[in-house]
Amino acid sequence: MKKSILAICDVERSYAYNFMEYINQKRSVPFEIQAFTNTDTLLGSGSKEDIDILLISDKAMCDRVKELGVENIIILSEGVHDPGLDQYPSVYKYQSSAQVIREVLACYGEEVMGAQDHSLSSRQAELIGVYSPLGRVLKTSFALTLGQILARGRAVLYVNMEEFSGFEKLFQREFAHTLSDLLYYIRQENSHAAYRLPSMVETVNNLDFLPPVGTPLDIWETSFEQWEQMLDELLLHSTYEVVILDVGQGVDGWYKILDRCVKIYMPVRSDLISQGKIEQFERLLRMWKQQELLDKIRKIKPPFYGSFGDGMDYVGQLPWSQLGDYVRSILQKERG
């Protein structure tokens, strides 16, 4: 799949190259990045006619750039710029590269990504499920750890599908966009929801995650068919190589969704009540003739440990915890 070209032109050399380095590390960002440190090098580039989005500092913008014919131009602003540039959308320069990309994609993401050749025959993302009929078994911590470890070498998206995730407390912030927004777009005809995704995701240790819903009603009122449409969008029309689903109990058709996964990790416990619940769960799936689903389930017993740090510190340190060692051992065994 050919990526669209995002060019950045900034007279501040370190900023331009740091931004390019960030994009190159982000496997999920749907752009090939080109960096220029002055207008002359931009104008002299042999590929300037192929630029899909030009992110250019207000100091570098001039009439010659306007004549390039780049359809999508965004001003990289330091806060105040020439009123003559107000005809172009702008993003604030001195914020995180992740936020800059989100704002760029909010402007042109659907338009540019929609022009790319997304093809089922060329690539389909791997779907991994994390589910348990039990509570308090480190299901979400395991899923976040797995995602961060896999994201070191692949483009990974984590999607929490629980009614009550606690992510605002966990990350100590509110989120501008959540799974609720994606589900809204899914319900619209011809919405190309996956093209909006890059402007909605957050990142921790190179793992992209879509913040969970703010109200359980958004889970309960989503039909299985809408969940399926969401998965089709993510698997076929996003740039991710792996999608991890942290599935809650309130999802309509949860067992059908899990059956689409190539593998399912199920945290379990050894006490009598937990074992009874697991046996009841397995008996139910056999009654529903879901043996193939049962065969995909890999029971795990994540190690319990004393929590360390708060918020992002907790999440970001998971790969280096005892739980991280446990996940790496699982992955190593699977590789044989």
Side-chain angles (χ1 to χ4, degrees):
M1 180 180 67
K2 181 182 181 298
K3 287 188 173 183
S4 298
I5 293 178
L6 168 65
I8 179 172
C9 181
D10 190 351
V11 295
E12 189 179 339
R13 178 183 296 267
S14 60
Y15 186 95
Y17 286 115
N18 286 339
F19 188 83
M20 181 173 67
E21 183 179 358
Y22 171 81
I23 298 295
N24 286 333
Q25 291 176 350
K26 286 288 295 179
R27 296 172 181 267
S28 62
V29 172
F31 294 115
E32 174 188 334
I33 181 72
Q34 296 180 359
F36 304 94
T37 56
N38 59 69
T39 304
D40 290 337
T41 55
L42 171 64
L43 295 172
S45 170
S47 61
K48 57 181 177 293
E49 66 277 5
D50 297 323
I51 295 173
D52 296 283
I53 298 179
L54 173 60
L55 182 61
I56 185 168
S57 68
D58 49 8
K59 295 178 180 177
M61 188 61 179
C62 63
D63 290 336
R64 290 189 299 161
V65 172
K66 297 177 183 179
E67 296 171 359
L68 277 177
V70 177
E71 186 173 352
N72 303 313
I73 296 178
I74 300 178
I75 302 301
L76 194 59
S77 174
E78 297 185 10
V80 178
H81 57 254
D82 187 336
L85 300 179
D86 287 346
Q87 61 181 300
Y88 303 104
S90 66
V91 299
Y92 181 58
K93 177 178 179 178
Y94 297 113
Q95 58 183 331
S96 69
S97 295
Q99 183 60 31
V100 170
I101 282 296
R102 276 194 290 272
E103 294 184 16
V104 167
L105 287 167
C107 292
Y108 294 121
E110 183 176 358
E111 176 182 340
V112 172
M113 291 182 66
Q116 298 186 62
D117 180 23
H118 296 276
S119 172
L120 174 60
S121 61
S122 63
R123 181 199 58 81
Q124 181 173 358
E126 177 184 7
L127 191 62
I128 297 175
V130 183
Y131 174 84
S132 179
L134 308 178
R136 303 292 295 171
V137 286
L138 291 178
K139 178 173 69 75
T140 294
S141 293
F142 174 87
L144 287 169
T145 305
L146 174 67
Q148 290 178 76
I149 290 175
L150 290 177
R152 294 177 184 177
R154 305 171 73 182
V156 183
L157 174 69
Y158 165 83
V159 181
N160 185 292
M161 299 167 64
E162 297 179 307
E163 303 98 306
F164 300 98
S165 68
F167 266 46
E168 290 189 355
K169 172 69 173 179
L170 181 62
F171 285 89
Q172 299 179 328
R173 52 168 294 199
E174 295 182 357
F175 298 102
H177 301 286
T178 70
L179 175 58
S180 298
D181 298 299
L182 181 61
L183 292 173
Y184 169 79
Y185 292 126
I186 288 294
R187 297 184 183 105
Q188 312 305 308
E189 294 184 4
N190 302 319
S191 61
H192 299 295
Y195 303 155
R196 302 174 183 267
L197 190 63
S199 65
M200 300 166 64
V201 297
E202 304 284 340
T203 304
V204 55
N205 279 339
N206 216 36
L207 169 67
D208 284 355
F209 68 93
L210 184 60
V213 300
T215 169
L217 291 176
D218 289 333
I219 297 292
W220 297 333
E221 294 179 353
T222 300
S223 68
F224 167 68
E225 290 74 21
Q226 290 166 342
W227 288 121
E228 271 213 310
Q229 185 179 347
M230 182 192 79
L231 293 182
D232 289 341
E233 286 284 323
L234 295 181
L235 297 179
L236 303 179
H237 302 297
S238 77
T239 58
Y240 293 102
E241 300 168 81
V242 179
V243 177
I244 297 175
L245 301 181
D246 188 350
V247 181
Q249 307 287 359
V251 175
D252 183 35
W254 55 268
Y255 65 96
K256 297 177 185 178
I257 290 172
L258 289 175
D259 194 40
R260 294 190 57 168
C261 299
V262 296
K263 55 189 170 186
I264 303 151
Y265 295 105
M266 178 184 288
V268 299
R269 300 179 69 174
S270 301
D271 63 279
L272 184 62
I273 293 178
S274 296
Q275 288 300 306
K277 291 181 178 181
I278 294 296
E279 289 179 10
Q280 181 181 359
F281 167 80
E282 293 174 337
R283 186 164 58 250
L284 178 62
L285 289 184
R286 292 191 185 96
M287 288 174 55
W288 290 346
K289 302 185 184 305
Q290 295 293 321
Q291 186 59 48
E292 289 187 9
L293 172 57
L294 280 168
D295 293 340
K296 296 178 184 179
I297 293 175
R298 306 179 184 191
K299 294 179 183 177
I300 58 173
K301 294 183 179 179
F304 284 81
Y305 58 91
S307 62
F308 49 93
D310 297 316
M312 283 290 289
D313 288 338
Y314 173 83
V315 177
Q317 291 179 36
L318 282 171
W320 291 273
S321 68
Q322 187 179 0
L323 183 55
D325 294 337
Y326 178 73
V327 170
R328 278 185 286 271
S329 70
I330 290 176
L331 295 175
Q332 186 173 2
K333 290 178 182 177
E334 291 178 351
R335 288 192 292 264

